[in-house]
Amino acid sequence: MTLDDITARTLPAKDVFSLSIRALKDHLLEELEKQGTGLKTEIPGERLLIALEPEVASVYCQHLPIEKLQGAGTGFTMSRKGSKFMIVDLGVGTADITVHEKLDGTRLKELCKASGDACGGTSVDNAFYQIFVNIFGVLVMNLLKKKYTSSYMDLFREFETVKRNIKTNTSGKVNFTIPYVVLDQICKEQLNKDFPAILKSSTLADKLSLLGDKIRFDAEFMKSLYKPTIDSIIAHVKDVMRKKEASDVKTFLLVAGFSESPMIQEAVRKAFSAQRVIVPEDSGLSVLKGAVLFGQRPDFISSRIARYTYGVKISEKFDKQKHDEQKRYQIGNTSRCRDIFKSFMKADTSVLAGQKVLQFYNTTTPFQNKMALQVYVTTTENPKYVDDNGCSMLGELDVVVPNPSIEEH
Ligand SMILES: Nc1ncnc2c1ncn2[C@@H]1O[C@H](COP(=O)(O)OP(=O)(O)OP(=O)(O)O)[C@@H](O)[C@H]1O
Ligand SMILES: [Mg+2]
């Protein structure tokens, strides 16, 4: 897997992730060193736990006292057995929704799970980017991105600040510092007009004006950039509410970075006035803080819903009624059918944490001494063959047959 940077150069994802983890580790050790803890830098391997973001955000909310759960209201408690809540995780890209039910003690059970596109912070960033494409054209923006990358990044850093501060009651004008000199230069070179002239002739001229090296945007216009994202978050939550597991959910928890936006909080509260919408203190850090709790107690989550149907590629004796002719092959005198998706776990079923599945498979040839078990996944309901649409191989296990014999084993 590779990742692209903004100028479309690629790097292996593994390198990027390794360096990110190293930076975290170095930072931690530096802090500990500063505090004189005398901690050694030998960190044992095999200590990496993968935490699921909405899940650990939910764990975090379980641990907060009521006064730190904004919107909870008096008398509310997260700890009542049987209570259900929906965690709406709004990060960079998607809205990841999980419905949890509280069991005894601190344990949680997952009831359902869904993901919606174009619901995160970047959808608003994209809308903002489109303004500039609208004014200057794709060519200028690409040039800015490629040749003046630091100015391009300044532009988005500025937008990040503006984005965080816009509220439903923001009115008048919103000031915005831009890389004026660079933009002016590119405009002159590429479009034969200076920056102010380009702004004036743009279709958005009535929504913005120049003030020194700042653009002043109409506040209403800036707020309108959130509209498609807000609409898609609300539509997505409504979709999940239509599932039977989620139909009686009365409490929403808004977590992760984008849920800090007052625009988002207010819109969700308004759209779901019959539900209690809770935003935990430090909601942007809820995933991080929850991950720490999860690291200490990985058994917080008692069961989850399988995302996929899992199966193994097998062959069977050929049966004309059941199998397709093109999948037929011969071993000695017997006809067999290849590529059958034999599932051992169905999507959308509840799976206990640590649950084991025991399966038996036979060898197909006499004295066969090893067997390659290919595990496949799919989101389709009843896969027949492993090369059906939507199926993909997860991995392969080499199994040694201990006592090969002439019989099938
Ligand atoms: N106060 C805020 N107001 C508005 N948006 C914010 C605020 N704080 C963070 N964001 C936005 O939230 C997003 C980052 O959220 P978060 O850190 O939860 O993402 P992530 O977990 O890294 O991403 P993902 O889970 O989607 O891969 C960014 O788009 C950022 O602009
Ligand atoms: Mg996230």
Side-chain angles (χ1 to χ4, degrees):
M1 186 187 186
T2 57
L3 301 174
D4 300 349
D5 76 357
I6 52 169
T7 61
R9 286 176 309 188
T10 59
L11 265 182
K14 205 174 164 189
D15 292 358
V16 177
F17 295 163
S18 308
L19 286 169
S20 309
I21 295 172
R22 178 179 303 167
L24 291 173
K25 185 191 114 181
D26 290 348
H27 180 67
L28 170 70
L29 291 176
E30 228 168 75
E31 279 304 304
L32 292 172
E33 175 78 33
K34 252 191 247 162
Q35 294 174 19
T37 57
L39 191 101
K40 297 248 172 60
T41 54
E42 297 129 38
I43 293 180
E46 311 288 319
R47 284 288 175 96
L48 189 63
L49 261 186
I50 307 280
L52 302 175
E53 296 192 26
E55 204 161 78
V56 294
S58 173
V59 167
Y60 172 69
C61 294
Q62 308 297 317
H63 281 76
L64 278 185
I66 175 94
E67 60 275 14
K68 298 200 166 171
L69 293 168
Q70 189 209 112
T74 45
F76 173 77
T77 157
M78 291 285 296
S79 59
R80 194 176 298 118
K81 189 181 163 195
S83 58
K84 293 181 186 174
F85 39 90
M86 181 187 284
I87 300 103
V88 185
D89 172 347
L90 300 169
V92 171
T94 52
D96 297 319
I97 296 188
T98 313
V99 176
H100 274 160
E101 182 184 333
K102 184 94 186 178
L103 303 177
D104 283 326
T106 51
R107 313 242 298 165
L108 298 169
K109 175 182 180 182
E110 186 182 305
L111 298 179
C112 71
K113 158 117 193 156
S115 229
D117 285 336
C119 293
T122 30
S123 332
V124 182
D125 301 350
N126 290 342
F128 171 73
Y129 182 68
Q130 280 312 315
I131 298 178
F132 284 81
V133 170
N134 204 318
I135 299 173
F136 303 107
V138 182
L139 195 82
V140 167
M141 288 315 281
N142 281 344
L143 200 69
L144 186 68
K145 217 191 272 187
K146 274 226 151 84
K147 220 171 138 194
Y148 303 92
T149 310
S150 72
S151 299
Y152 177 84
M153 289 176 71
D154 285 345
L155 187 68
F156 273 85
R157 220 166 281 136
E158 174 76 2
F159 179 60
E160 185 67 31
T161 313
V162 170
K163 182 169 87 170
R164 288 172 188 226
N165 288 321
I166 291 186
K167 302 186 181 64
T168 33
N169 62 4
T170 304
S171 59
K173 303 278 180 215
V174 177
N175 287 340
F176 200 100
T177 308
I178 42 157
Y180 187 96
V181 177
V182 169
L183 278 173
D184 192 45
Q185 184 190 330
I186 307 181
C187 285
K188 285 176 187 154
E189 278 169 20
Q190 301 292 325
L191 309 171
N192 300 319
K193 277 188 196 172
D194 63 5
F195 179 63
I198 293 290
L199 269 194
K200 239 196 200 111
S201 63
S202 113
T203 51
L204 298 173
D206 60 328
K207 302 195 167 50
L208 42 88
S209 55
L210 262 181
L211 186 78
D213 66 345
K214 287 185 168 53
I215 295 187
R216 310 189 78 200
F217 284 100
D218 197 36
E220 288 309 315
F221 176 60
M222 283 311 256
K223 285 195 266 181
S224 73
L225 301 183
Y226 288 74
K227 175 99 173 38
T229 313
I230 287 173
D231 289 348
S232 96
I233 294 172
I234 290 169
H236 179 51
V237 172
K238 282 188 174 157
D239 262 358
V240 179
M241 293 296 284
R242 277 192 275 276
K243 296 190 179 196
K244 69 173 189 316
E245 299 87 350
S247 55
D248 57 345
V249 169
K250 294 281 183 302
T251 306
F252 293 172
L253 299 171
L254 295 191
V255 297
F258 196 40
S259 72
E260 295 224 5
S261 162
M263 289 290 289
I264 302 300
Q265 293 176 10
E266 283 185 42
V268 174
R269 288 211 159 100
K270 203 166 143 205
F272 299 97
S273 52
Q275 272 81 11
R276 182 185 280 113
V277 178
I278 298 177
V279 183
E281 185 176 278
D282 273 347
S283 62
L285 293 176
S286 49
V287 170
L288 177 75
K289 293 187 173 184
V292 174
L293 293 167
F294 175 74
Q296 292 163 346
R297 287 273 319 269
D299 61 344
F300 272 125
I301 309 294
S302 76
S303 69
R304 301 183 171 92
I305 303 297
R307 314 277 182 268
Y308 301 102
T309 293
Y310 294 81
V312 165
K313 173 169 131 173
I314 62 156
S315 73
E316 283 177 2
K317 289 220 167 77
F318 194 83
D319 177 346
K320 264 197 203 129
Q321 309 293 320
K322 254 168 61 183
H323 299 136
D324 293 338
E325 198 52 44
Q326 78 256 34
K327 293 287 184 193
R328 185 205 282 257
Y329 73 107
Q330 283 298 120
I331 293 188
N333 293 329
T334 33
S335 279
R336 301 191 63 91
C337 175
R338 64 169 91 246
D339 294 342
I340 292 170
F341 192 117
K342 178 83 173 167
S343 54
F344 60 81
M345 185 182 284
K346 293 268 181 205
D348 286 328
T349 52
S350 183
V351 186
L352 290 174
Q355 184 174 323
K356 293 192 172 104
V357 178
L358 191 63
Q359 294 287 304
F360 294 91
Y361 303 103
N362 298 329
T363 51
T364 50
T365 53
F367 296 106
Q368 187 177 330
N369 59 7
K370 56 177 199 231
M371 193 198 268
L373 270 185
Q374 294 182 343
V375 180
Y376 279 81
V377 292
T378 180
T379 47
T380 54
E381 231 166 70
N382 286 309
K384 201 169 167 195
Y385 299 109
V386 295
D387 51 3
D388 284 356
N389 263 345
C391 297
S392 60
M393 189 163 83
L394 190 63
E396 192 175 61
L397 301 166
D398 280 324
V399 181
V400 176
V401 181
N403 301 306
S405 71
I406 196 152
E407 308 284 338
E408 286 185 355
H409 269 270

